[in-house]
Amino acid sequence: MRLRSLTVTVPVLFLAACASPSAPAGGAEARSPYGLFLAGQAALNDGESRQAADYFERATRSDETPGLISERAFTAAVLSGEIEKAAAMAPVGDEASEGAKRLGRLVLAVDALAAGRGDAAYRLLTSEEIGFPHRTAAALLTPWAAAQAGDMDLATRRPDVPGDKLVEYFGMLGQAHQYERVRRYDEAETDFKALTEGPDAPPMLVLAYGEFLERRGRRTDAVALYDRALATYRRDVALSLARERALARRAAPPAPSVRQGAAQAILTPAAAMLAARQSQFALAYVRLALRLDPERMDAWMMVGDLMGAAGDVEAARSAYGRVPKDHPDYAAAQSKLAWSLQGAGDIDAALDTAARAAEGGDPTALLTLADLLRSNERYEAAIAPLNQLVESSPEPDWRLLFARGAAYERMGDWPRAEADLQAALALNPDEPDILNYLAYGWIDRGERLEEALAMVQAAVDANPRSGAMIDSLGWGYYRLGQYEKAVEILEEAVGLEAGDPEINNHLGDAYWQVGRRDEAVFQWRRVLTLEPDAKIRADAEAKLASGVGPGAAGAAAQAAAEPAPSTIAR
């Protein structure tokens, strides 16, 4: 998915005004302001914000340059992370659009904070001119600007934007940090406690409170807090590492600096913008956070996600690569990098990246490695990381058992597959995917047919538009010898999944059994055009070559009934 908000519709009259009527033929137009603008716009629409920034900047050097090109240059500089350059070209004056000027003021404020000019940042952030949609970001940043300017009375005031729950909630986090900075520890703890009440408190807030407790020498309280959170977020790496640190009585992380606190503050509205699918603003805010704190790894992860969604694969990979090995987000970053390589068709590099990340036993990395191996049909190799995950899980996890059972089934080891699938079903009896997978295994082997058919029917009832599940149901009726019923259901499955070779193969078999031989041959021939796996291809080719229909029973019935029709031959 591209960053659709980056796509700009440029009025025809503006393009005409931009064009250089004297530009010579033969491609020289690309060096005119008009050509550079178009090149920059194309790069921006493709998510290549750094390249776009270069084109726009070159366009602005011309005396012919209209104001809109300057705005595009500013936007591209922000999105590519060149915040100092963006601050130098922040739109001002009556000719600039109001939206660009508001973002420009926020950029100027952040750049001032990053440069240690808290007074200037505070004046910009408290100006009414910032306005919508940047009020939330400005409100959360304001106390940090006040702190940098040395006014701790203003810094410890909780920001207030009427009706803005984000400011109300995360403004309390900022206030807690500011109270700690001025050694008003009781008031800081009151805020931290309010933010982390209940078992579902977000891990980032639990970590903030826990680190505060560790800094106060209250490691036992910190461990209890981490334990409570880990009961809900069992696989959270950062929480687990914090618990280990507190138990080992190692030094607690220092309280956030002004720049670090401001970076965290602006990431909050960035996440809200991302959730609201305002990708351009989300990326702009994350870039601003990195201007304040370039070592903020969760921000680099967000850059990777946003640039990947925009289609700039290289920028995404570069962002994920910024996360160092000793960081809690390293495994997640490497997992995203591996899937990026997989998506680009570089299978060996994807698997190598995933394998290196999994060497430390991180659950996220192990799961990525297993999923990549299964995606590339390397089922036997996938068993080892899946075994590690199953054995290290604090309690049985049906998803892991299901994944391992599916890998065993694809390897041809049905006894182990059946055991894992039954164990997964015992943990989650109503899960349609398990019901369908286990039941189909029985159906395909002619075992426990009545029980299997009931299981598949339950799966279909839960997912009535699943061609794969409807195929399992039709194949169950086929195995029971109810061929007319099987044809009816398998035709529905093909209608939903027309390109699935296995479903088409099944329908061909069902057509054959009800005497619709020409249609059966058509289906088997169609199977060979749908990139079937080796087993399905061999089955379809054998039926077409032999002329005796599906299976030994079908062959015997056909031999007794009539000569093989010539239409079977290729």
Side-chain angles (χ1 to χ4, degrees), residues 508-517 520 524 547-550 554 558 565 568:
D509 289 5
Y511 279 152
W512 182 273
Q513 299 294 2
V514 298
R516 296 165 62 175
R517 304 297 170 83
W524 295 329
V548 294
Q558 172 63 21
I568 283 290

Side-chain angles (χ1 to χ4, degrees), residues 181-485:
R181 289 173 60 81
V182 295
R183 300 177 181 171
R184 292 163 63 175
Y185 299 122
D186 289 344
E187 291 162 289
E189 185 162 8
T190 297
D191 280 350
F192 280 128
K193 277 185 176 179
L195 288 166
T196 56
E197 286 178 345
D200 297 329
M204 67 164 288
L205 299 180
V206 173
L207 287 167
Y209 185 20
E211 290 167 2
F212 166 80
L213 292 172
E214 290 182 67
R215 287 191 291 271
R216 302 299 301 141
R218 295 165 54 188
R219 293 181 176 85
T220 301
D221 291 341
V223 170
L225 180 70
Y226 297 143
D227 282 340
R228 189 185 74 190
L230 283 165
T232 301
Y233 306 101
R234 294 186 310 238
R235 295 187 179 276
D236 191 285
V237 177
L239 286 171
S240 296
L241 291 174
R243 182 182 186 277
E244 290 176 17
R245 179 187 63 234
L247 279 173
R249 306 185 72 79
R250 296 196 296 270
S257 67
V258 166
R259 288 179 57 167
Q260 289 170 334
Q264 184 178 63
I266 201 167
L267 278 181
T268 298
M273 290 291 189
L274 187 58
R277 299 185 179 180
Q278 294 291 326
S279 301
Q280 184 179 22
F281 283 134
L283 181 58
Y285 283 9
V286 175
R287 294 296 197 183
L288 290 172
L290 287 168
R291 170 71 176 109
L292 293 161
D293 183 5
E295 302 305 313
R296 182 110 198 169
M297 294 305 150
D298 53 349
W300 282 115
M301 293 279 285
M302 290 176 72
V303 170
D305 292 346
L306 285 160
M307 298 313 294
D312 193 340
V313 177
E314 289 303 319
R317 292 177 187 171
S318 175
Y320 296 139
R322 296 291 294 261
V323 183
K325 282 188 176 182
D326 60 352
H327 194 275
D329 287 337
Y330 175 74
Q334 291 298 297
S335 295
K336 290 174 181 289
L337 178 58
W339 281 113
S340 172
L341 292 164
Q342 167 85 5
D346 196 345
I347 308 303
D348 290 339
L351 291 173
D352 186 54
T353 298
R356 287 198 308 271
E359 287 173 355
D362 179 88
T364 299
L366 286 168
L367 188 58
T368 296
L369 177 59
D371 285 345
L372 279 168
L373 288 166
R374 291 192 303 139
S375 295
N376 291 292
E377 300 184 2
R378 303 185 189 185
Y379 302 109
E380 188 170 356
I383 295 298
L386 286 168
N387 281 342
Q388 283 184 260
L389 286 164
V390 170
E391 291 163 8
S392 65
S393 181
E395 58 187 54
D397 188 326
W398 71 266
R399 296 171 184 83
L400 298 176
L401 291 166
F402 179 44
R404 190 174 67 176
Y408 277 133
E409 187 273 332
R410 297 306 298 268
M411 288 167 53
D413 189 343
W414 177 246
R416 287 182 176 176
E418 185 179 33
D420 271 351
L421 293 170
Q422 286 180 307
L425 189 63
L427 293 169
N428 194 353
D430 298 320
E431 173 53 47
D433 287 330
I434 311 175
L435 287 166
N436 178 65
Y437 208 106
L438 177 58
Y440 182 80
W442 285 335
I443 288 168
D444 208 39
R445 290 163 178 78
E447 303 170 1
R448 304 170 69 162
L449 292 177
E450 295 289 350
E451 179 184 358
L453 199 65
M455 290 166 61
V456 173
Q457 185 63 65
V460 170
D461 289 344
N463 291 279
R465 299 292 297 170
S466 169
M469 292 181 182
I470 293 171
D471 170 63
S472 298
L473 186 64
W475 197 234
Y477 281 108
Y478 179 94
R479 288 296 198 186
L480 287 169
Q482 299 183 34
Y483 301 123
E484 294 286 355
K485 182 73 170 176

